[in-house]
PDB file of all heavy atoms in Angstrom:
ATOM      1  N   ALA M  90     -30.385  13.753  -7.226  1.00 95.00           N
ATOM      2  CA  ALA M  90     -31.444  14.379  -6.409  1.00 95.00           C
ATOM      3  C   ALA M  90     -32.002  15.539  -7.127  1.00 95.00           C
ATOM      4  O   ALA M  90     -33.220  15.878  -7.140  1.00 95.00           O
ATOM      5  CB  ALA M  90     -30.887  14.598  -5.110  1.00 95.00           C
ATOM      6  N   LEU M  91     -31.084  16.312  -7.697  1.00 95.00           N
ATOM      7  CA  LEU M  91     -31.429  17.619  -8.412  1.00 95.00           C
ATOM      8  C   LEU M  91     -31.867  17.465  -9.804  1.00 95.00           C
ATOM      9  O   LEU M  91     -32.249  18.403 -10.367  1.00 95.00           O
ATOM     10  CB  LEU M  91     -30.126  18.513  -8.348  1.00 95.00           C
ATOM     11  CG  LEU M  91     -29.719  19.051  -7.037  1.00 95.00           C
ATOM     12  CD1 LEU M  91     -28.342  19.769  -7.178  1.00 95.00           C
ATOM     13  CD2 LEU M  91     -30.692  19.952  -6.418  1.00 95.00           C
ATOM     14  N   ARG M  92     -32.051  16.250 -10.162  1.00 93.00           N
ATOM     15  CA  ARG M  92     -32.446  15.860 -11.642  1.00 93.00           C
ATOM     16  C   ARG M  92     -31.741  16.590 -12.629  1.00 93.00           C
ATOM     17  O   ARG M  92     -32.280  16.936 -13.662  1.00 93.00           O
ATOM     18  CB  ARG M  92     -33.964  16.122 -11.726  1.00 93.00           C
ATOM     19  CG  ARG M  92     -34.790  15.364 -10.432  1.00 93.00           C
ATOM     20  CD  ARG M  92     -36.243  15.723 -10.678  1.00 93.00           C
ATOM     21  NE  ARG M  92     -36.930  15.053 -11.768  1.00 93.00           N
ATOM     22  CZ  ARG M  92     -37.477  13.885 -11.626  1.00 93.00           C
ATOM     23  NH1 ARG M  92     -37.400  13.119 -10.552  1.00 93.00           N
ATOM     24  NH2 ARG M  92     -38.070  13.343 -12.712  1.00 93.00           N
ATOM     25  N   ARG M  93     -30.404  16.848 -12.458  1.00 94.00           N
ATOM     26  CA  ARG M  93     -29.587  17.436 -13.519  1.00 94.00           C
ATOM     27  C   ARG M  93     -28.989  16.265 -14.263  1.00 94.00           C
ATOM     28  O   ARG M  93     -27.795  15.960 -14.089  1.00 94.00           O
ATOM     29  CB  ARG M  93     -28.461  18.269 -12.762  1.00 94.00           C
ATOM     30  CG  ARG M  93     -29.029  19.261 -11.963  1.00 94.00           C
ATOM     31  CD  ARG M  93     -29.851  20.348 -12.642  1.00 94.00           C
ATOM     32  NE  ARG M  93     -29.031  21.011 -13.564  1.00 94.00           N
ATOM     33  CZ  ARG M  93     -28.482  22.248 -13.288  1.00 94.00           C
ATOM     34  NH1 ARG M  93     -28.473  22.781 -12.134  1.00 94.00           N
ATOM     35  NH2 ARG M  93     -27.683  22.817 -14.214  1.00 94.00           N
ATOM     36  N   PHE M  94     -29.744  15.855 -15.294  1.00 92.00           N
ATOM     37  CA  PHE M  94     -29.358  14.720 -15.949  1.00 92.00           C
ATOM     38  C   PHE M  94     -28.109  14.775 -16.789  1.00 92.00           C
ATOM     39  O   PHE M  94     -27.195  13.871 -16.963  1.00 92.00           O
ATOM     40  CB  PHE M  94     -30.495  14.119 -16.884  1.00 92.00           C
ATOM     41  CG  PHE M  94     -31.875  13.992 -16.097  1.00 92.00           C
ATOM     42  CD1 PHE M  94     -32.972  14.599 -16.536  1.00 92.00           C
ATOM     43  CD2 PHE M  94     -31.778  13.249 -14.956  1.00 92.00           C
ATOM     44  CE1 PHE M  94     -34.131  14.454 -15.859  1.00 92.00           C
ATOM     45  CE2 PHE M  94     -32.974  13.076 -14.242  1.00 92.00           C
ATOM     46  CZ  PHE M  94     -34.095  13.701 -14.627  1.00 92.00           C
ATOM     47  N   ALA M  95     -28.086  15.945 -17.510  1.00 94.00           N
ATOM     48  CA  ALA M  95     -26.786  16.156 -18.546  1.00 94.00           C
ATOM     49  C   ALA M  95     -25.624  16.253 -17.577  1.00 94.00           C
ATOM     50  O   ALA M  95     -24.580  15.635 -17.989  1.00 94.00           O
ATOM     51  CB  ALA M  95     -27.086  17.440 -19.215  1.00 94.00           C
ATOM     52  N   LEU M  96     -25.578  17.045 -16.563  1.00 96.00           N
ATOM     53  CA  LEU M  96     -24.502  17.207 -15.614  1.00 96.00           C
ATOM     54  C   LEU M  96     -24.093  15.708 -15.044  1.00 96.00           C
ATOM     55  O   LEU M  96     -22.950  15.451 -14.906  1.00 96.00           O
ATOM     56  CB  LEU M  96     -24.884  18.174 -14.598  1.00 96.00           C
ATOM     57  CG  LEU M  96     -24.333  19.643 -14.763  1.00 96.00           C
ATOM     58  CD1 LEU M  96     -24.807  20.460 -13.591  1.00 96.00           C
ATOM     59  CD2 LEU M  96     -22.715  19.686 -15.064  1.00 96.00           C
ATOM     60  N   LEU M  97     -25.148  15.224 -14.597  1.00 97.00           N
ATOM     61  CA  LEU M  97     -24.903  13.863 -14.072  1.00 97.00           C
ATOM     62  C   LEU M  97     -24.195  12.785 -14.928  1.00 97.00           C
ATOM     63  O   LEU M  97     -23.221  12.176 -14.680  1.00 97.00           O
ATOM     64  CB  LEU M  97     -26.133  13.175 -13.614  1.00 97.00           C
ATOM     65  CG  LEU M  97     -26.143  11.752 -12.927  1.00 97.00           C
ATOM     66  CD1 LEU M  97     -25.324  11.689 -11.737  1.00 97.00           C
ATOM     67  CD2 LEU M  97     -27.696  11.205 -12.762  1.00 97.00           C
ATOM     68  N   THR M  98     -24.709  12.921 -16.298  1.00 96.00           N
ATOM     69  CA  THR M  98     -24.049  12.040 -17.283  1.00 96.00           C
ATOM     70  C   THR M  98     -22.702  12.552 -17.447  1.00 96.00           C
ATOM     71  O   THR M  98     -21.626  11.619 -17.615  1.00 96.00           O
ATOM     72  CB  THR M  98     -24.839  12.106 -18.626  1.00 96.00           C
ATOM     73  OG1 THR M  98     -26.154  11.780 -18.371  1.00 96.00           O
ATOM     74  CG2 THR M  98     -24.224  11.227 -19.675  1.00 96.00           C
ATOM     75  N   ALA M  99     -22.315  13.796 -17.583  1.00 97.00           N
ATOM     76  CA  ALA M  99     -20.966  14.182 -17.833  1.00 97.00           C
ATOM     77  C   ALA M  99     -20.109  13.929 -16.591  1.00 97.00           C
ATOM     78  O   ALA M  99     -18.944  13.417 -16.734  1.00 97.00           O
ATOM     79  CB  ALA M  99     -20.990  15.773 -17.975  1.00 97.00           C
ATOM     80  N   TRP M 100     -20.674  14.004 -15.371  1.00 98.00           N
ATOM     81  CA  TRP M 100     -19.919  13.582 -14.177  1.00 98.00           C
ATOM     82  C   TRP M 100     -19.548  12.101 -14.172  1.00 98.00           C
ATOM     83  O   TRP M 100     -18.438  11.881 -13.937  1.00 98.00           O
ATOM     84  CB  TRP M 100     -20.721  14.036 -12.929  1.00 98.00           C
ATOM     85  CG  TRP M 100     -19.938  13.797 -11.690  1.00 98.00           C
ATOM     86  CD1 TRP M 100     -20.417  12.791 -10.803  1.00 98.00           C
ATOM     87  CD2 TRP M 100     -18.949  14.463 -11.083  1.00 98.00           C
ATOM     88  NE1 TRP M 100     -19.609  12.758  -9.631  1.00 98.00           N
ATOM     89  CE2 TRP M 100     -18.579  13.846  -9.890  1.00 98.00           C
ATOM     90  CE3 TRP M 100     -18.188  15.505 -11.435  1.00 98.00           C
ATOM     91  CZ2 TRP M 100     -17.710  14.281  -8.931  1.00 98.00           C
ATOM     92  CZ3 TRP M 100     -17.139  15.976 -10.576  1.00 98.00           C
ATOM     93  CH2 TRP M 100     -16.863  15.435  -9.358  1.00 98.00           C
ATOM     94  N   CYS M 101     -20.476  11.337 -14.475  1.00 97.00           N
ATOM     95  CA  CYS M 101     -20.172   9.891 -14.521  1.00 97.00           C
ATOM     96  C   CYS M 101     -19.202   9.555 -15.538  1.00 97.00           C
ATOM     97  O   CYS M 101     -18.440   8.629 -15.429  1.00 97.00           O
ATOM     98  CB  CYS M 101     -21.492   9.123 -14.573  1.00 97.00           C
ATOM     99  SG  CYS M 101     -22.669   9.237 -13.210  1.00 97.00           S
TER     100      CYS M 101
END
Side-chain angles (χ1 to χ4, degrees):
Chain M
L91 293 170
R92 304 174 76 87
R93 302 297 297 269
F94 307 127
L96 265 179
L97 176 63
T98 303
W100 180 252
C101 292

